[in-house]
Amino acid sequence: MGVILKRKSSLAVMAAIFAFTAAILLVPFSKASASINYGDEVAATAQIYNGAKFKMGGTTPKGFDASGFTKYVYKDAATKMTIPRTSADQYKIGKSVKLKDLQQGDLVFYATGEKKGKVSFVAIYIGNGKFIGSTSKGVKIVKMSDKYWKDRYVGAKHIIK
């Protein structure tokens, strides 16, 4: 009886090995690839700083102004991009994007100063009609459809290549 059990065990082990080998050889493998969506990553990085304090001229998490925030986030994110310091200079780079075509990570620009139509504020689009930016109340998420922001919208730029 011990010989029969050994034979059945050996056959079971051989069958398992055969099934495993067949599965490895016959199942197609796809090449795994990971790529970063830089816009999504910029938007996610920006949200880490939600609640940071506002500081005129600020360029660090201790305190940001609007363009200091966007400059910091783009450098801190996987993009490692160095962008200009002021919102007006940031508005000069990249490709213009229509409101309906905004993607996460795009820069959105507003005229919040005394001169109507002159860019004075920038933030990062995070999707669903919202941006994150350093307002006078600190870094926060804002609906672009809010009357204040809607009335002051100038345009948007896609700066990630």
Side-chain angles (χ1 to χ4, degrees):
M1 187 155 148
V3 174
I4 295 172
L5 282 176
K6 279 188 176 182
R7 191 168 187 200
K8 283 185 177 180
S9 295
S10 296
L11 288 174
V13 169
M14 286 178 27
I17 292 171
F18 175 77
F20 180 71
T21 304
I24 289 175
L25 295 175
L26 299 176
V27 174
F29 285 97
S30 62
K31 291 183 180 178
S33 67
S35 63
I36 295 174
N37 179 318
Y38 287 108
D40 292 350
E41 204 274 338
V42 165
T45 299
Q47 291 178 67
I48 292 169
Y49 302 103
N50 192 12
K53 295 187 183 313
F54 173 82
K55 180 181 178 188
M56 184 63 77
T59 59
T60 72
K62 291 181 180 180
F64 292 110
D65 67 12
S67 59
F69 175 68
T70 53
K71 181 176 178 60
Y72 184 89
V73 168
Y74 266 86
K75 188 68 173 174
D76 188 42
T79 60
K80 301 295 182 208
M81 287 178 65
T82 300
I83 62 174
R85 172 61 182 95
T86 68
S87 55
D89 286 341
Q90 289 176 15
Y91 188 63
K92 295 175 185 174
I93 65 172
K95 181 182 175 193
S96 292
V97 179
K98 292 181 181 178
L99 195 57
K100 67 180 181 70
D101 296 327
L102 282 173
Q103 297 175 12
Q104 288 192 60
D106 286 343
L107 295 178
V108 289
F109 296 89
Y110 295 85
T112 58
E114 294 176 13
K115 293 187 180 179
K116 190 171 176 82
K118 184 179 180 205
V119 170
S120 55
F121 180 86
V122 60
I124 297 169
Y125 184 71
I126 60 169
N128 298 319
K130 296 176 184 175
F131 70 71
I132 185 167
S134 185
T135 70
S136 60
K137 296 177 182 172
V139 176
K140 65 181 202 168
I141 295 172
V142 175
K143 289 181 185 176
M144 293 174 65
S145 61
D146 288 353
K147 183 168 176 32
Y148 177 85
W149 295 104
K150 188 175 181 179
D151 291 349
R152 289 163 175 79
Y153 182 76
V154 175
K157 296 288 184 100
H158 185 76
I159 65 169
I160 299 171
K161 297 194 174 27

